[in-house]
Amino acid sequence: MSDQWSALADEIAGHAQNYLDGLTRVAGGEGGDAIWSLLLVEVAQVSLAGAQLGASQDVILSGNWEPPLSEDPDVDGVRTALAERLEAVDDYAEVFDPYKDTAVTPYRLSDDLTAVAADLVHGLRHYHAGRPLEALWWWQYSYFNTWGNHAGAAMRALQALAAHSRLDVAEEALST
């Protein structure tokens, strides 16, 4: 494996672990009233990692197959905790693909955030097993196939929540 791939794998693994740690902390109750802003930062940072993967040349595995792993850890506890914390704003609407599927689709922030986490965990398992190229392949493939869309949708929803929490208050103060 080239030094370029090795460095990228190390960088993406760091972003992935930071996202998982941050998401777990927020699901566990950290953040208070700043939950949307904290989640926005977490999603933005992991989206930067995804953009790096998207801008990189395709990662091709030798033999073009992924070595098997045992079942990934269940992230449903984190999803459930996030759904409880985000209850009033968990459901939102999104356009899945602005070029092909322009129908408005119902989404849930808790589902989006943990879908990203599940894909990152899978790649981290390859990375920690000493297979950084497989990790990169998985992260790149799943970025285009799954978690990139979920992260983008979640980021738009979280940015809207952060904006409403600041701008709607300012409008109310001005009108009184």
Side-chain angles (χ1 to χ4, degrees), residues 3 19 21 64 80 92 105 109 166-167 176:
D3 288 343
Y19 176 81
D21 292 345
N64 204 24
T80 301
Y92 69 98
T105 305
L109 271 171
R166 302 249 174 91
L167 298 177
T176 57

Side-chain angles (χ1 to χ4, degrees), residues 96 119 138-150:
F96 180 73
D119 282 343
W138 174 258
W139 287 321
Q140 188 179 57
Y141 166 77
S142 61
Y143 171 73
F144 287 125
N145 193 47
T146 312
W147 73 266
N149 181 60
H150 286 285

Side-chain angles (χ1 to χ4, degrees), residues 47-67:
S47 293
L48 171 62
Q52 288 174 292
L53 291 164
S56 297
Q57 69 184 46
D58 289 346
V59 178
I60 307 294
L61 297 178
S62 177
N64 204 24
W65 67 280
E66 177 188 12

Side-chain angles (χ1 to χ4, degrees), residues 18-136:
N18 288 341
Y19 176 81
L20 296 170
D21 292 345
L23 195 65
T24 301
R25 284 192 307 273
V26 169
E30 288 186 26
D33 292 340
I35 185 175
W36 303 323
S37 297
L38 291 173
L39 289 172
L40 179 60
V41 169
E42 294 297 340
V43 173
Q45 288 176 337
V46 83
S47 293
L48 171 62
Q52 288 174 292
L53 291 164
S56 297
Q57 69 184 46
D58 289 346
V59 178
I60 307 294
L61 297 178
S62 177
N64 204 24
W65 67 280
E66 177 188 12
L69 287 171
S70 60
E71 191 171 321
D72 287 335
D74 188 5
V75 295
D76 199 51
V78 171
R79 187 201 58 76
T80 301
L82 285 169
E84 290 172 6
R85 292 214 58 210
L86 296 166
E87 181 182 7
V89 296
D90 198 23
D91 293 319
Y92 69 98
E94 173 70 14
V95 173
F96 180 73
D97 182 336
Y99 295 104
K100 290 186 176 183
D101 182 4
T102 59
V104 175
T105 305
Y107 274 63
R108 283 194 179 96
L109 271 171
S110 56
D111 290 344
D112 290 331
L113 296 168
T114 52
V116 172
D119 282 343
L120 296 175
V121 164
H122 187 84
L124 276 173
R125 292 184 64 221
H126 281 301
Y127 181 81
H128 292 306
R131 296 188 300 266
L133 192 62
E134 284 83 354
L136 278 176

